[in-house]
Amino acid sequence: MINNSLKFTVLQLLFGFIICANTISAQITIPIATRDNAIVIMTDSENRLRTVYFGKSLQNESDYATISSKYSEGNKNEIFNSTYTPSGTWNLVEPAIQVKHADGNSSLDLKYVSHKTAQLDSNISVVSILLKDPIYPFEVTLCYKIWANENVIEQWTEIKHKEKKAVLLQKYASANLYFSDNNFYLSSFHGDWAKEMQPDEAKLVSGIKSIDSKLGTRAMLWQSPNFMVSFGKPASENDGMVLLGQLAWTGNFKLDFEIDRHQNLRLIAGINPYTSEYSLLPNVIFKTPSLIYTVSNQGTGEASRNLHNWARKYKVLDGQGERLTLLNNWESTYFDFDENKLKDLFKDAKELGVDLFLLDDGWFGNKYPRNSDNAGLGDWQENKKKLPNGLGYLVKEATKEGIKFGIWIEPEMVNPKSELYEKHLDWVIRQPERPEIYFRNQLVLDLSNPEVQDFVFGIVDDLFVKNPELAFIKWDCNAVIYNAYSAYLNKKGLPQSNLYVDYIKGLYKVLERVRAKYPKVPMMLCSGGGGRADYEMLKHFTEFWPSDNTDPLERIFMQWNYSFFFPSITVDNHITHWGKQPLKFKIDVASMGKLGFDIEASKLNEKDKLFCKQAIENYNSFKDVVWHGDMYRLVNPYQSDFAALMYVKPDQSRAVVFNYLTTNRFNIIANPILLKGLDPNKKYLIKELNLYQGTTSSIAADTVLTGDFLMKVGFKPNINAQRTSVLLELKEVQ
Ligand code: GLA
């Protein structure tokens, strides 16, 4: 019976194809081209969109129109290269979109209607392509924002309908890309608390490889929405075609990499459809998150630099600005502090020479004081015992000391032991009939509820209204979502399956309000370590906390992996008690980003204290190069016993080179390191920085070499078991 009806459907479909084939329309070619690469989309004889080319961009735009006959000969790609694959009609592979119409029917076809290009300036354009279902009043607009010079594309989809009632969106990808090549290698990143961003690279074989998250809030704790696809061979730093991508969505995501039966790659990326059928009302636009990607023909190094330039210039809040160095009290006090202890720490911060003191967790809660992680979260009033004079007093005291003051909040969360929980149980995500499940003794507030959005906005607003001089916020998010259920959606008669999406949309609404009122104040994005960092969030945050694991050896690897996708100005690195390495090693590693301290500085011996102060001064002298310069990964710690990375000022007049020994094995000999990004015609004076007083460098003080020499013959930083970390500064000399 089933077989017969299936056969009938297939016949119907075939018949449909034949009928449609009669209505041939003029072929439309739409190139999505950056400076170096292009994706070419074309209509087929039935007005459906096909991706017919992915590769280097052509000099003459008119040449793209001739691709179809040369490239996708005899329609050999059949159904696989659809530019946005619908389901329930002709498609038999993984769809990009799947819907249930208002009348319960599950079929969708999408035909090209029109497209337009908006040129925003000489570098930026937006191409939008309108597709419509021929039967239902249902439409999809594919949008591509193109930054030509940076070779970056941000792609998203807008979905809308005019049906009589809500349509259920069962799957609604941001992008559906198609690549033809012989071999594809996927690098993905997985992790856990204190083990974030661990890489894996594997050749994609036929079938679907999915990377996804179902954690709800700190969605990228176990799997990251950042990935690399390398074409023809495994990814390498300086050659080969590679795509670096990220789904810029702070919630559940899904990336499907499908090798089809012609060995081509279909990539479908978007919000995870897992329990997330979204009910879309008529005439409302559902905008998916963006898939952001860059393609380089010169390996991962160039791809990262493109992404960094783009992120600093166009995405990250104040990406081209300054950052504040800081002293954080988390690891030196945990929850155990009072005003006097904090005032001593202000002095330490001042003496060290950092810009700001950051007060971490534990400053709030009275009925349920926040003296450990099992109480008080949600009650954002100063704890009267610890801080009898309130935050205002602390801000003033810090200012008197000559440093700025910042504060930790975790506004999306609640401990069951809190007044907030007692007053507003209906604001908490929980199954009313089931036992609660905690993650770090806490639950998540329901940000799909506008009242909760007001509450979360109010926490930040209140802090700034009462303390206008507050200079920094660390916004944490420790728990995942268990027992996903919203009392608010229930009350509104909306489906529970909207929750994961509406939570994140609610979070973005709050952050937009915060930024509308406080556009500049620096904020650190933290998530019980690094379970949250994406470009949609970094529109609102100046930086992020990559991991609670600050062991510098671990950090060399972790920061290496983050560096593929994020510029160093966004990465917060603190010196803590983690790791057995010398203080110098820790400071050097932390200097490859935004430097901070989380130590009891007063307990350092005089030599170490002096060294720290000197290292901060050094950092202040070269931080501009690390924050705004071009980064080159020189020696890969996964492939050798060393790591080396350098940053070059855009005018090539200065550079800093970080070198590390990453093993304890006996008698390791380092080859000269080939530097990159310098001007071959310039001469550079090489100086070793961050040496303890009284230590002389094994590098002669007057070493001057040309950029040409340094990039071809290289330079030996003399790393060995006694010199496990070597920081070099290069300055142009005449
Ligand atoms: C998380 C953060 C830490 C610290 C604690 C405070 O674990 O990652 O840096 O702020 O919360 O509870």
Side-chain angles (χ1 to χ4, degrees):
M1 190 59 196
I2 291 169
N3 272 347
N4 277 344
S5 72
L6 244 180
K7 264 186 221 157
F8 179 67
T9 318
V10 172
L11 279 175
Q12 259 186 328
L13 281 173
L14 283 174
F15 192 52
F17 268 104
I18 293 159
I19 292 182
C20 291
N22 287 333
T23 56
I24 296 173
S25 36
Q27 196 166 45
I28 307 284
T29 306
I30 311 168
I32 309 292
T34 63
R35 190 188 61 203
D36 298 339
N37 292 291
I39 293 170
V40 178
I41 297 166
M42 257 177 209
T43 52
D44 65 10
S45 54
E46 290 144 39
N47 239 2
R48 297 190 177 107
L49 278 189
R50 306 279 173 184
T51 304
V52 296
Y53 177 75
F54 166 78
K56 292 186 178 162
S57 50
L58 303 182
Q59 280 174 4
N60 300 323
E61 190 157 340
S62 57
D63 286 352
Y64 289 117
T66 58
I67 282 178
S68 78
S69 54
K70 297 255 178 300
Y71 183 80
S72 57
E73 243 162 74
N75 198 20
K76 82 170 168 62
N77 295 305
E78 299 159 26
I79 58 180
F80 298 105
N81 68 341
S82 166
T83 306
Y84 197 70
T85 317
S87 73
T89 49
W90 52 270
N91 166 47
L92 301 172
V93 292
E94 187 63 29
I97 182 165
Q98 196 178 347
V99 305
K100 195 185 258 183
H101 294 284
D103 64 5
N105 186 291
S106 290
S107 66
L108 183 70
D109 197 2
L110 293 170
K111 303 243 177 170
Y112 169 85
V113 176
S114 61
H115 75 283
K116 57 178 189 229
T117 303
Q119 195 68 44
L120 305 188
D121 62 27
S122 59
N123 187 33
I124 311 170
S125 55
V126 179
V127 177
S128 35
I129 312 172
L130 178 63
L131 309 175
K132 278 191 180 164
D133 187 291
I135 309 285
Y136 284 88
F138 187 97
E139 64 184 55
V140 161
T141 307
L142 306 179
C143 305
Y144 304 80
K145 188 164 183 183
I146 301 160
W147 286 265
N149 293 335
E150 291 78 14
N151 290 303
V152 171
I153 297 176
E154 185 175 332
Q155 182 178 347
W156 72 95
T157 301
E158 293 177 3
I159 304 169
K160 196 176 128 185
H161 70 87
K162 291 190 170 129
E163 299 189 18
K164 294 218 165 63
K165 285 188 297 186
V167 169
L168 212 51
L169 304 181
Q170 296 165 312
K171 188 172 185 189
Y172 33 94
S174 303
N176 178 176
L177 299 176
Y178 188 72
F179 310 103
S180 291
D181 207 309
N182 291 328
N183 293 296
F184 302 92
Y185 291 82
L186 172 69
S187 297
S188 55
F189 299 84
H190 60 95
D192 204 338
W193 176 75
K195 283 189 192 158
E196 291 84 349
M197 284 299 269
Q198 309 293 316
D200 263 334
E201 184 174 49
K203 185 170 181 224
L204 289 165
V205 292
S206 66
I208 301 182
K209 160 92 182 168
S210 294
I211 310 257
D212 83 333
S213 168
K214 302 182 183 78
L215 303 180
T217 43
R218 46 189 303 193
M220 49 207 75
L221 180 64
W222 293 342
Q223 301 287 343
S224 161
N226 293 292
F227 62 92
M228 293 179 209
V229 175
S230 183
F231 300 84
K233 66 183 184 78
S236 78
E237 187 65 8
N238 300 309
D239 62 18
M241 190 181 220
V242 66
L243 178 148
L244 300 192
Q246 173 192 99
L247 189 81
W249 177 246
T250 315
N252 295 345
F253 61 87
K254 188 157 193 257
L255 311 168
D256 283 326
F257 300 86
E258 178 175 14
I259 298 294
D260 70 19
R261 94 189 155 73
H262 302 295
Q263 302 307 308
N264 292 324
L265 171 63
R266 304 178 69 237
L267 164 55
I268 298 179
I271 290 177
N272 196 340
Y274 164 75
T275 68
S276 292
E277 292 187 335
Y278 199 85
S279 170
L280 182 65
L281 294 168
N283 296 311
V284 175
I285 296 174
F286 184 93
K287 186 176 178 217
T288 71
S290 295
L291 180 73
I292 294 167
Y293 49 98
T294 184
V295 176
S296 165
N297 305 311
Q298 306 294 331
T300 46
E302 186 189 77
S304 293
R305 286 186 291 282
N306 281 338
L307 212 47
H308 296 171
N309 283 335
W310 166 84
R312 281 187 298 241
K313 202 160 168 199
Y314 299 110
K315 210 61 176 184
V316 175
L317 189 95
D318 204 16
Q320 293 179 299
E322 299 290 305
R323 297 293 184 269
L324 300 166
T325 54
L326 59 82
L327 175 70
N328 188 193
N329 70 312
W330 176 239
E331 289 194 21
S332 55
T333 66
Y334 293 104
F335 297 96
D336 180 21
F337 56 81
D338 59 18
E339 269 173 4
N340 288 334
K341 247 194 202 179
L342 295 180
K343 277 162 59 183
D344 286 345
L345 289 173
F346 297 167
K347 287 201 172 64
D348 288 355
K350 179 68 189 169
E351 214 198 318
L352 275 176
V354 293
D355 304 315
L356 176 127
F357 174 79
L358 170 62
L359 174 58
D360 214 284
D361 196 357
W363 57 268
F364 48 88
N366 285 297
K367 181 173 174 190
Y368 301 103
R370 179 77 172 165
N371 291 330
S372 78
D373 62 15
N374 66 7
L377 207 55
D379 300 344
W380 297 102
Q381 297 77 37
E382 295 98 325
N383 177 279
K384 295 212 169 80
K385 219 166 154 195
K386 287 184 197 171
L387 308 179
N389 296 302
L391 283 177
Y393 171 75
L394 287 179
V395 179
K396 275 197 202 99
E397 287 300 302
T399 314
K400 259 199 232 160
E401 204 58 66
I403 52 159
K404 294 177 194 288
F405 184 87
I407 200 155
W408 177 97
I409 51 173
E410 193 179 5
E412 300 157 70
M413 305 281 153
V414 63
N415 280 131
K417 261 191 180 175
S418 67
E419 292 182 72
L420 180 69
Y421 179 92
E422 287 173 352
K423 274 191 216 134
H424 291 289
L425 194 57
D426 57 328
W427 285 6
V428 181
I429 295 180
R430 60 195 286 280
Q431 285 286 353
E433 304 299 334
R434 292 186 186 277
E436 289 174 349
I437 308 171
Y438 307 121
F439 195 106
R440 206 191 187 208
N441 306 311
Q442 65 196 55
L443 293 164
V444 180
L445 294 175
D446 177 8
L447 271 167
S448 74
N449 182 344
E451 277 182 40
V452 177
Q453 293 167 20
D454 289 345
F455 170 76
V456 173
F457 170 76
I459 296 166
V460 182
D461 193 34
D462 197 49
L463 281 170
F464 284 120
V465 168
K466 289 189 184 143
N467 309 289
E469 286 172 54
L470 194 66
F472 189 86
I473 297 260
K474 174 177 176 185
W475 181 304
D476 210 340
C477 160
N478 279 284
V480 298
I481 297 180
Y482 288 115
N483 278 332
Y485 180 89
S486 156
Y488 168 78
L489 291 174
N490 189 42
K491 202 164 109 195
K492 289 278 160 191
L494 291 165
Q496 288 296 324
S497 54
N498 280 18
L499 178 58
Y500 284 124
V501 173
D502 283 351
Y503 180 93
I504 300 298
K505 294 205 166 182
L507 173 65
Y508 293 158
K509 273 190 201 153
V510 172
L511 290 166
E512 271 149 29
R513 281 169 73 186
V514 168
R515 283 316 182 185
K517 193 158 176 195
Y518 308 102
K520 282 242 142 90
V521 60
M523 294 210 297
M524 177 205 284
L525 174 59
C526 176
S527 191
R532 230 183 199 188
D534 64 83
Y535 279 119
E536 197 53 36
M537 284 300 255
L538 286 173
K539 271 164 47 179
H540 306 292
F541 289 84
T542 44
E543 56 219 78
F544 69 91
W545 183 236
S547 177
D548 279 348
N549 187 341
T550 43
D551 176 318
L553 188 60
E554 296 285 349
R555 273 302 183 103
I556 288 176
F557 291 86
M558 223 182 264
Q559 290 171 205
W560 181 271
N561 296 319
Y562 276 113
S563 81
F564 285 105
F565 306 97
F566 298 100
S568 297
I569 192 169
T570 61
V571 185
D572 284 338
N573 303 327
H574 291 184
I575 289 113
T576 73
H577 298 296
W578 286 62
K580 297 190 186 78
Q581 297 76 8
L583 186 62
K584 169 181 162 52
F585 194 99
K586 294 183 175 185
I587 294 191
D588 287 354
V589 173
S591 297
M592 298 189 295
K594 203 209 82 172
L595 179 71
F597 289 79
D598 202 339
I599 51 168
E600 286 162 284
S602 59
K603 294 205 176 142
L604 292 174
N605 65 39
E606 284 310 310
K607 258 177 105 180
D608 283 348
K609 218 181 260 177
L610 191 68
F611 174 73
C612 276
K613 282 160 74 169
Q614 187 58 51
I616 294 168
E617 274 174 34
N618 288 339
Y619 179 75
N620 286 337
S621 77
F622 65 70
K623 64 189 181 191
D624 178 51
V625 185
V626 172
W627 293 349
H628 305 118
D630 293 320
M631 187 212 61
Y632 293 84
R633 286 176 292 258
L634 304 175
V635 181
N636 184 340
Y638 289 96
Q639 292 164 2
S640 72
D641 298 315
F642 306 95
L645 244 122
M646 73 186 283
Y647 299 85
V648 185
K649 210 173 161 180
D651 69 3
Q652 295 168 305
S653 64
R654 271 187 90 186
V656 270
V657 190
F658 296 86
N659 310 275
Y660 307 98
L661 181 67
T662 53
T663 176
N664 287 327
R665 301 199 62 187
F666 179 69
N667 205 12
I668 297 292
I669 311 283
N671 290 327
I673 291 170
L674 298 182
L675 305 191
K676 288 203 159 38
L678 300 172
D679 180 341
N681 301 315
K682 285 189 169 140
K683 283 188 199 152
Y684 295 94
L685 174 68
I686 302 177
K687 184 178 168 198
E688 183 170 357
L689 299 182
N690 287 1
L691 288 168
Y692 269 80
Q693 213 182 32
T695 317
T696 38
S697 172
S698 57
I699 294 160
D702 53 356
T703 309
V704 174
L705 291 165
T706 62
D708 184 49
F709 183 93
L710 290 165
M711 293 193 289
K712 288 177 181 161
V713 180
F715 187 76
K716 262 192 161 187
N718 298 341
I719 313 171
N720 56 45
Q722 286 70 48
R723 283 164 58 83
T724 51
S725 167
V726 175
L727 170 53
L728 302 172
E729 181 198 44
L730 274 65
K731 263 190 184 163
E732 181 189 356
V733 285
Q734 295 308 320

